[in-house]
Amino acid sequence: IEAALAARREHPGALLAGERRALPIPGFDLGNSPAEFTRPTVAGRTIIMTTTNGTVALQATARAARVYIGAFLNAAALCRTLTAAGRDVVILCAGTEGRFTLEDALCAGLLAERLAGEGEASDAAIAARAIYNDCRRDLWQRVSRCAHARRLINAGFGDDIAFCLQHDTYAIVPEFAKGIIEIPPAK
């Protein structure tokens, strides 16, 4: 939080966004709910963001050649990008406070399933694919019983979970490099 506030002092026009344990940070412009990130609110703006899990996971990728950000929402576009890159792929799940989360494993399983023909898969990728294939017909029911999802639902963010479980809604693939997430221009 302190680093985000310091960055805002350097970029006074930027929006502050973030959460701690699923709740918006007091004094920040936005929380972590996708519903808050509307085009009129964020278009053309720099966003300084800190989250309990996602930004920590991104920092762990510092030595990676390329880092793309993926979810159910952009899975098809991400898989096209990864296939075109022609490199080995490591899927890093953010988890929750350093712990395994089913929703991350399910998304990793979807990605691993779609990339299955691209090379050898690790045991973790095989397991994630199996979990995804077992759960894909009733993702909401499976995910809504998970600890992190229950926390979000109890905090009033159940609609965010349903939204984020949609497949292939967006064709953008954000890339993370040197502490910045860039969204490539539309083609």
Side-chain angles (χ1 to χ4, degrees):
I1 294 173
E2 293 76 23
L5 292 168
R8 166 85 161 257
R9 286 190 289 277
E10 292 178 25
H11 305 280
L15 294 171
L16 280 177
E19 56 73 33
R20 285 298 179 267
R21 297 184 55 82
L23 299 176
I25 299 169
F28 276 39
D29 303 301
L30 304 165
N32 194 38
S33 171
E36 295 179 76
F37 290 76
T38 63
R39 186 176 306 277
T41 301
V42 302
R45 304 281 304 268
T46 295
I47 301 169
I48 300 166
M49 187 166 208
T50 178
T51 65
T52 306
N53 306 301
T55 53
V56 174
L58 287 173
Q59 293 303 320
T61 67
R63 294 185 7 214
R66 305 289 298 257
V67 178
Y68 299 105
I69 299 174
F72 288 109
L73 289 164
N74 71 339
L78 176 60
C79 288
R80 283 191 302 274
T81 298
L82 294 171
T83 299
R87 301 182 67 137
D88 288 343
V89 173
V90 174
I91 299 170
L92 173 66
C93 297
T96 298
E97 298 172 2
R99 293 185 308 276
F100 171 89
T101 57
L102 180 61
E103 61 271 23
D104 284 1
L106 289 167
C107 186
L110 168 64
L111 297 173
E113 177 72 18
R114 290 183 177 178
L115 295 169
E118 302 301 321
E120 289 188 38
S122 68
D123 288 356
I126 293 167
R129 285 175 62 196
I131 293 168
Y132 174 74
N133 284 320
D134 181 58
C135 296
R136 70 180 176 186
R137 289 183 197 10
D138 61 348
L139 280 178
W140 169 253
Q141 290 301 317
R142 301 290 184 100
V143 169
S144 66
R145 294 192 305 246
C146 298
H148 186 63
R150 285 193 316 268
R151 178 188 295 169
L152 289 169
I153 291 166
N154 290 337
F157 297 110
D159 289 345
D160 289 352
I161 298 168
F163 174 77
C164 290
L165 290 175
Q166 295 177 89
H167 290 39
D168 309 324
T169 304
Y170 296 102
I172 62 169
V173 181
E175 187 170 358
F176 177 74
K178 299 179 183 171
I180 297 173
I181 297 171
E182 296 279 352
I183 297 174
K187 294 181 182 178

